[in-house]
Amino acid sequence: MVLVAGCGNSTSSAPVADSPTSVVTAPVPSEPWDPCTIPNSAVEAAGLDVESKTSTLVGDRPISTDWMICSWRNPDPGSWYFLGVFSSDHDLAYLEGNDQFGDFTVVDSAGAVQFQRTANYEEVSCGIAYEVVGGIVYFILDGRASREPRGDPCVEVERLGSALRSSLPPSNR
């Protein structure tokens, strides 16, 4: 807590503080919300493989200091996708300004926004983003190489986002 107070004797050229003034600042998180804190029970209820959880995309290193990630795959033997959950203190405008994503569409009254990757090669992918207190969380479903999709990736990522929404930080809307 920061406390600022003023007092002193009155002179004709200097004002006197009437009473102490205090300013309370909210704690600032040191890093974004960690999507790997989504409870295993919620992950399993959404239909994802709890054992496949990872907090990196490739190797042991995080993707950046601005983003936290957790990913899972669907559990069936012919698993056709991975689900990545990304969290940052950035906002939706930051995501919309990223040239890797496009075709943003609001999909529900809570402000969830669906989007696509803008890659020029054929890819099974779809994402959904939520603005939350402290930033943004987005889900992105990516198809697994050489596996045929067993459904519409946008329908599936919406279903997963809805199933896991209660485990995210509160909405800022």
Side-chain angles (χ1 to χ4, degrees):
M1 175 173 13
V2 176
L3 181 64
V4 178
C7 57
N9 295 327
S10 177
T11 66
S12 60
S13 62
V16 176
D18 292 327
S19 63
T21 304
S22 64
V23 177
V24 178
T25 59
V28 176
S30 58
E31 54 186 29
W33 170 78
D34 183 358
C36 284
T37 62
I38 296 173
N40 285 344
S41 58
V43 171
E44 190 170 48
L48 297 168
D49 179 10
V50 173
E51 299 301 317
S52 68
K53 177 169 92 173
T54 182
S55 61
T56 61
L57 291 177
V58 177
D60 296 336
R61 301 176 68 155
I63 59 169
S64 79
T65 56
D66 289 353
W67 293 90
M68 298 287 289
I69 179 178
C70 204
S71 67
W72 298 266
R73 68 177 186 270
N74 65 327
D76 69 60
S79 174
W80 65 275
Y81 66 80
F82 286 98
L83 177 75
V85 183
F86 294 76
S87 173
S88 176
D89 59 0
H90 294 294
D91 59 10
L92 185 58
Y94 178 87
L95 192 65
E96 290 172 331
N98 185 325
D99 62 359
Q100 294 181 35
F101 305 115
D103 299 328
F104 289 87
T105 307
V106 176
V107 293
D108 70 18
S109 61
V113 176
Q114 188 178 82
F115 59 93
Q116 299 284 323
R117 288 193 191 272
T118 57
N120 291 331
Y121 55 91
E122 197 152 319
E123 179 181 83
V124 174
S125 183
C126 194
I128 190 165
Y130 301 92
E131 284 192 299
V132 297
V133 171
I136 189 170
V137 174
Y138 75 85
F139 295 79
I140 192 138
L141 184 142
D142 287 314
R144 294 184 67 189
S146 73
R147 303 276 173 95
E148 286 297 315
R150 294 188 176 168
D152 181 328
C154 291
V155 170
E156 188 66 6
V157 79
E158 264 191 74
R159 182 192 70 75
L160 292 164
S162 293
L164 296 172
R165 180 69 180 101
S166 65
S167 298
L168 304 183
S171 173
N172 70 353
R173 292 182 174 249

